[in-house]
Amino acid sequence: NAAAKDGGSGGGGNGKAFTLVTPDPVAQNEFLKLAVAGVKSAAKAQGGSQKVFQSSDNDSRQQNVASAVDAAPDVIALVGFEFADIVAQQAEAHPKQQFLLVDACTKKTYKNVTCAVFREHEAVFLAGAEAGLLTKSKKVGAVDVLDTPQFRRYSEPFAAGAKKVTPGARSRTLFVGGQSPFNDAARAKDQAATLGSGGVDQVMAAAAGGNTGVFQAAKSKGFQAYGVDANQCLGSPGVVVDNVLKKTDVAVEKGIAQILDGKGGTTVSYGLKEGGMSLTGLEPGLAESKCLIAKPANKDVLQRVEELRDDIVAGKLTVDDPAA
Amino acid sequence: MTPPPEPAGDAPAVELRGITKEFPGTLANDRVDLTVRRGEIHALMGENGAGKSTLMSVLYGLQRPDAGQILLDGLEVSFASPSEAIAAGLGMVHQSFKLFPSFTVAENVVYAAEPRRFGLADRAEAVRRVAALAEEHGLAVDPAAKVGDLPVGVRQRVEILKLLYRGARTLILDEPTAVLTPAEADALFGVLRSLADEGRTVLLVTHKLREVMEGSDAVTVLRDGRVAARMRTADTSADGIAAAMTGRAVELDRMRPAGSPGGEVLSVAGLATDGVRDVSLTVRAGEIVGIAGVAGNGQSELVEAVAGLRPVAAGRVTLDGRDVTDATAAEHRAAGLAYVPEDRAAVGTAPAATIAENLAMGHHRGHGLLRPGRLREHARVLIERFGIKAASADHAAGSLSGGNLQKLVIGRELAHESSLLIVEQPTRGVDIGAVQTIHDRLVAHRDAGHAILLVSAELSEIRGLSDRVLVMYEGEIAAEFTREEADERRLGLAMAGAAAGPDGSASAPGSLAEAPVPAKEAR
Amino acid sequence: MSVDSALFHSALLALTPILLAALGGAICERAGVFNIGLEGMMLIGCFAAVAGSWFTGSAWLGVALAALASGAYAMILAVGTISLRGDAVVLGVALNLLAVGLTGFLLRTAFGVQGTFSDPDLAGLGGIDLGFLGPVLSGHSALVYVSWAAVAVAAVFLARHPWGLRLRGVGEAPDAAATLGVSPAKYQYLAVLTSGLLCGLAGAQLALGNVTLFSENMTAGRGWIAVVAVMLGRALPLGVLLAGLLFGVAEAVGFRLQGNGLPQQAADAAPYVVTLVALFLSTARRKRRKRPEPLVGAAS
Amino acid sequence: MAVQSPAGGRAAGARLLRSPALHSVVAAVLVGALFLVGTGADPFGAYGSVVSGALGPDGIGSTLTTGTSILGLAVALALPMRAGLLNLGGDGQLVLGGISAAATGLYVPLPAPLAVLAALVAGMLAGAAYAALAAVCQNRFGVPLLVSSLLLSYPAVSFASYLARFPLKEEGSSLPQTRRLPEGVELPALGSSTVTVGLVLVVLAAGVFVFADARTATGYEIRMTGLNPRFAAYAGVDRPRLTLRLMALSGAVAGLVGAIGVLSFPYRFIDGSLTAAGHTWTGLTAALLASAAPVGTALAALFFAALDVGGLAMERATEVPRELTQVLQAVVIVFLAARLRLTWRRAAKSAPTTQGAAAAVPAGASAPAETSVRSEGDL
Ligand SMILES: Nc1ncnc2c1ncn2[C@@H]1O[C@H](COP(=O)(O)OP(=O)(O)OP(=O)(O)O)[C@@H](O)[C@H]1O
Ligand SMILES: Nc1ncnc2c1ncn2[C@@H]1O[C@H](COP(=O)(O)OP(=O)(O)OP(=O)(O)O)[C@@H](O)[C@H]1O
Ligand SMILES: [Mg+2]
Ligand SMILES: [Mg+2]
């Protein structure tokens, strides 16, 4: 229960209060863990208190948001596209309440809704480039949770990145699907092993809770994998090349600050340029990351990737967005 | 392989002293004493609920007595379970068959005492032993046949083989002939007699006076859990036993007056269905037509086809002038059919539902909404009219005794006042008193102008009630008799497959006791 | 390793937990206990396997704990249905529900995490290299081979062993067995216990063999597939094996086709559709052999 | 279970006190308390927040919203169960109902109120047709309903998911969801609450079920079929037809729940959102718990809805994970399944006329199991 509500009090008599509502249980979900970290550091920075409400389905999302609104904290932060409709509804009903919607945005704009969205495809493209440079079989692949445009942001740019640096590289994507796509490590492992058996030697692991399965397959099948959201090299040393980092913590903390400064009601997009998306390999502390990309032998790979990043930041290179 | 019965001593084979068994609210056995000599066939009689089955369960270790002693060959024993009773040389054939239908005869017989080879059950050896045992005791069965495919008479033999295989010296049989035809019953008694002659002891529960008179050496009668009479069969009469059972004089095997048939109600022409070929018959208003036959010769299939419960392959069924050949069961009922099925618990009722709900079936249609008050009133009337012994109509029907459950089914079906009533085995396992009530009701129903098609394996019942008798053999109507022609001999011959003319001048295929039971698939 | 051998390799892997659980279900079925709680028992096994492996450092102790825990959990079904005559379907559904709640609750209280527990130090069941068996059959965890052995043992036991005969008798006519001194309750308890143990192994294989982690509700419907396999396989060990294999191959083929343009949803649905069609065919064949049944005959 | 007249308030109260359901709830609460103490939590605080979270002014709306789905599905699944038929395909029927309602609401060119009606009807028809398919599998192909309904459910969910992600997908959205229904194509809310007319529809369905079960000939035939299918068939109940009709009805109600879900906030079909909360299982459990008796099913469904909502509130207010309420639910059922028998035993002791045969079917609870489950007789 570590990730959930600590704090709760703290701060002075007129300290600020923030509530984070997650769409799913935080659990081992790196992306949500970061959001929790973000709201915590915001509370610390603002001298306020924070709460985390974890949901698991549409009913509990609605109930948690309603409950959060009833308590009227200074900012309600929500992560995940699942909240778009709910926030729109609540923002209209409670114009005084400030919302921070991370990773999605309402269709209409509201004065009291601030959005933070990510351009995941940019970082995934870079990971794909790494894969393209490292692949020996010229075959790369991705294990994706579900076949939706949102999740294709983790597979298609990966292929594009690989093809960019290695023309003629081939790619393949498999989806976990099944009865619990976000948490079925066994199926994810099976899918990854299938890719491995087909000769794929670089696999983007975008299987959410199933990523562990992908890494386990990497170990037994001898291919290399790419993690998401946090540094997953630590949990599976020796098989993870690099990670696509989505800095939800930054988005949450910055968004809260922005709202408290009275500059809410806008949409901020985070990509490579804003430092909202990145790779572990491009971040400080790489040496301790246990990622394969940190090996001296991969220095030139990293260098090529840095060039690509600079091109994207400079607008010289645009990455196609499958969800656009 | 059967251990020979132990040398005779002086002590009786079985002695029960002061057995008392109380169920909550019922004193099932009240200080019952019972002495059974070695080598005798001892009958235990009594009305439904008199405590016979309970007493046998106590003896066999299925129930613990509250008080009393059990002595076998003079030694006191106490059984915690049937396996201990089996080890002590007892064996029991229960009221309902306790067989595994999907197993072979041999597997059924050796169950829980299998010959082994290399730790596994030795099937070949089992078949061999069972065949030898059957041979030794003159019980014709095919050890490799699947029990589910066998007619009841053969199943009964399997039950007895089970006991003999386990070396039973004392055989307890609870209503063994309830489902047997006279021929099968005679065959069974032949076997029992030869077993008794070998020195084995037979304890027999039955409702049938004829069997007791013809087959037993001694009789004990229970009434309300107490011993009402103890006698040597030779010294008593059927009337005497009946009087001891009921506490009053009973008129046995009464021939009922003939009916006065009117117009045709049911007409079946060239009907064929599973196990039934080319059957034609008619039943008129005010007439009881009896169908006799050894179980498994197509009677049940015929009745089900006529009642719309089994698809008709060929032929025509007309009910009250309407062609109902391909009609559904509900349409049959609407056209004027009431039906008392053979199996009252599995088909005729929903034992878990209340008595009132069971009595409502069929009567619930066509009155718009169901009103609980009306249902209860309907139940009250029928309970009263048919003398069903029930504490309340809100109790589960399964709480009724067999006889009372039978009255419930018959009462419900009679109350439909349908033009045609089909009754199958109306008095199976029912005590003498109840038999008479049921017969009276059926005759009254006929006299009220209804047509009745009666299927029974009980020859006295067929003869006592029917205005005309048809005999089924191997799926066909083998013979037809008028009321006067239908004596036991002619019926018996026809049932055994002898092409008997109405004058009975046919070639008999052998004595009744050896009458071959058609080895055809039971349903 | 060719693509095809990989396909069958992964089909076998996916099959194993289902097969072990279905064998347990088949034995219960034969003893006359309808076990619809396979999913829950397997999930308990997953959790216990991971907990055992984590706290002792030995995957095999994890397997043992899984078998014990699922066996104990199965006793709820046994006591409820056999001794207390509760309804097997109600209890089975309750056990499935309880397992999800219980393992989730314990995951949070014992491991302090939510959703998934995995750790590089968590000992899993390694593959055994039996090169002579070829690429499809070799390289699985020991439990995979145990599951094949279990099929053979169960088949011989049920068909030929005296106890197997008694067990089947108990399932077919408990009264008849009781009158011959065979206690139906005893055999039914043992059958349910065995199904618990097998579900424990199934869970262990899933959590320590197929992957090395525990995640909430990780059985993801595999127990239900096992229930279906019991029906399709007519509760015969070999039948259950074939039914499971059919499902596993359909799933693996679905995976393959997914990469070749088949929508993921179609791949998801494929194994269920294939199983249903197999059920049609098998009942149709049986029907043709049998005569039409009367309306009032045994429940259809 | 049978037709019973209300036997006066005091007697009813006494019956409730003696009812195994109450005992089971109390026992489950105690077991839960042990869990709580074992993990160092305060049982009073935890249970207090469950109750206030579910029934307090802030929670009751959520309870009724959740209750709409759970009650609806419980009724849907109880209908066939009353005749001994287990419909395990609720998810598929629910989802097809939802996607059909969404498609109708989006593409039928009708004024808003009529479009709502059309969407509801479309949802019910889709659910009914699909459930009937499972019945056909049993009637025509001999595949037990339990299995056919379960197996058919998965492809239906996949199909709806496919529709929501491809042909019916909202343009420009990255989410697997349909467009929002046109303005006004939505179920009106009751007053200012979040509870919609959907609750009324579901309660109406439950009411019809209660009435039909106790007061109509068909209801009686269904009950008798559940208690002994051979008896019902003998008396002229056409079992295949009854199966077909009950399944269609069951699917219609499940489809209705799906349609209600789509016609309520956020007024669109979102892939996975109808089934994610597991209401089908909760509804099934409620029906099983009450042996499909209508009133008992409804009470159990509402009780479970309150536990669901209360559990979430408890998790917000205390450190206790909401899995606790899931454990509670299951423990209630385990106890009840066992208690049913215990109470029978006591009853048998006090009432001499009750005997084994009756009790072989404990209070009707085993009827669904007996018939539907044993239906694969030749396994
Ligand atoms: N298990 C039981 N529990 C309670 N009461 C019982 C039980 N078994 C029998 N009884 C009661 O004991 C009495 C005797 O029953 P028993 O079965 O011995 O009768 P029976 O003489 O065999 O009747 P029948 O001719 O119908 O077979 C009955 O009144 C019955 O109510
Ligand atoms: N468990 C029980 N509790 C109460 N009474 C019982 C029980 N078991 C049997 N009885 C009673 O025992 C009596 C006879 O039981 P038994 O099972 O022998 O009847 P049956 O086989 O239905 O009747 P019949 O011999 O007429 O066919 C009945 O009166 C029945 O009510
Ligand atoms: Mg009797
Ligand atoms: Mg008796």
Side-chain angles (χ1 to χ4, degrees), chain A residues 54 59 64 85 107 150, chain D residues 170 174 268 279 316 322:
Chain A
Q54 308 184 36
D59 281 4
N64 279 334
D85 285 329
K107 268 238 188 70
Q150 182 80 14
Chain D
E170 178 179 35
S174 60
R268 57 170 110 227
H279 290 164
R316 282 194 301 259
R322 99 186 66 142

Side-chain angles (χ1 to χ4, degrees), chain B residues 23-24 26 48-50 52-54 63 95-96 174-175 207 344-345 398-405 428-431, chain D residues 344 348 351-357:
Chain B
F23 294 113
T26 313
N48 290 126
K52 308 178 293 290
S53 296
T54 305
Q63 302 264 13
Q95 200 166 339
S96 52
D174 196 352
E175 296 186 37
H207 289 295
R344 54 192 171 236
S399 70
L400 294 175
S401 79
N404 279 302
L405 196 63
R428 176 174 288 174
V430 170
D431 67 44
Chain D
W344 167 76
T353 41
T354 320
Q355 68 134 345

Side-chain angles (χ1 to χ4, degrees), chain B residues 73-375:
Chain B
D73 298 320
L75 298 175
E76 181 164 357
V77 291
S78 159
F79 302 134
S81 73
S83 27
E84 293 182 22
I86 292 170
L90 290 179
M92 180 158 177
V93 176
H94 295 264
Q95 200 166 339
S96 52
F97 289 146
K98 305 286 184 195
L99 295 170
F100 310 107
S102 79
F103 286 20
T104 64
V105 169
E107 283 171 331
N108 266 283
V109 172
V110 303
Y111 186 85
E114 305 85 356
R116 297 190 187 207
R117 209 159 66 121
F118 310 127
L120 297 180
D122 187 344
R123 287 188 207 162
E125 173 66 12
V127 167
R128 213 182 50 71
R129 285 197 205 174
V130 171
L133 195 64
E135 170 85 49
E136 181 186 336
H137 295 284
L139 292 157
V141 289
D142 171 9
K146 219 171 98 178
V147 162
D149 297 337
L150 298 175
V152 277
V154 181
R155 293 190 200 195
Q156 184 71 267
R157 287 179 221 158
V158 178
E159 286 281 15
I160 291 172
L161 278 175
K162 271 163 60 180
L163 310 191
L164 298 175
Y165 178 81
R166 285 168 176 72
R169 295 190 305 277
T170 300
L171 286 71
I172 306 167
L173 298 100
D174 196 352
E175 296 186 37
T177 58
V179 292
L180 300 191
T181 57
E184 287 173 320
D186 287 344
L188 175 69
F189 273 93
V191 171
L192 294 182
R193 176 54 66 198
S194 76
L195 291 175
D197 291 344
E198 284 172 26
R200 290 178 217 262
T201 309
V202 178
L203 232 169
L204 178 77
V205 177
T206 180
H207 289 295
K208 297 183 185 172
L209 282 169
R210 181 182 80 102
E211 293 166 357
V212 174
M213 295 311 298
E214 289 172 13
S216 75
D217 302 309
V219 191
T220 298
V221 177
L222 289 185
R223 190 161 75 227
D224 296 336
R226 264 177 244 130
V227 175
R230 234 181 245 115
M231 42 212 160
R232 304 303 301 172
T233 311
D235 307 336
T236 185
S237 67
D239 291 326
I241 298 174
M245 277 167 63
T246 56
R248 62 192 151 87
V250 192
E251 193 183 346
L252 294 169
D253 283 350
R254 188 147 51 99
M255 292 295 281
R256 313 277 170 165
S260 43
E264 195 172 282
V265 172
L266 174 73
S267 132
V268 176
L271 180 119
T273 182
D274 315 297
V276 173
R277 273 173 300 151
D278 193 28
V279 166
S280 300
L281 60 86
T282 57
V283 186
R284 285 170 290 172
E287 178 186 45
I288 298 181
V289 173
I291 296 186
V294 177
N297 273 295
Q299 301 95 314
S300 297
E301 289 82 353
L302 170 66
V303 161
E304 283 170 7
V306 170
L309 295 168
R310 184 180 279 276
V312 173
R316 253 167 65 93
V317 181
T318 316
L319 179 55
D320 251 352
R322 278 178 56 186
D323 184 344
V324 291
T325 314
D326 296 314
T328 64
E331 287 161 355
H332 275 80
R333 289 200 165 250
L337 172 103
Y339 173 32
V340 176
E342 177 176 22
D343 193 336
R344 54 192 171 236
V347 177
T349 56
T354 66
I355 292 168
E357 285 171 322
N358 272 287
L359 283 169
M361 184 52 98
H363 301 278
H364 69 288
R365 296 194 179 97
H367 303 293
L369 293 181
L370 237 49
R371 259 161 301 179
R374 288 270 289 275
L375 285 191

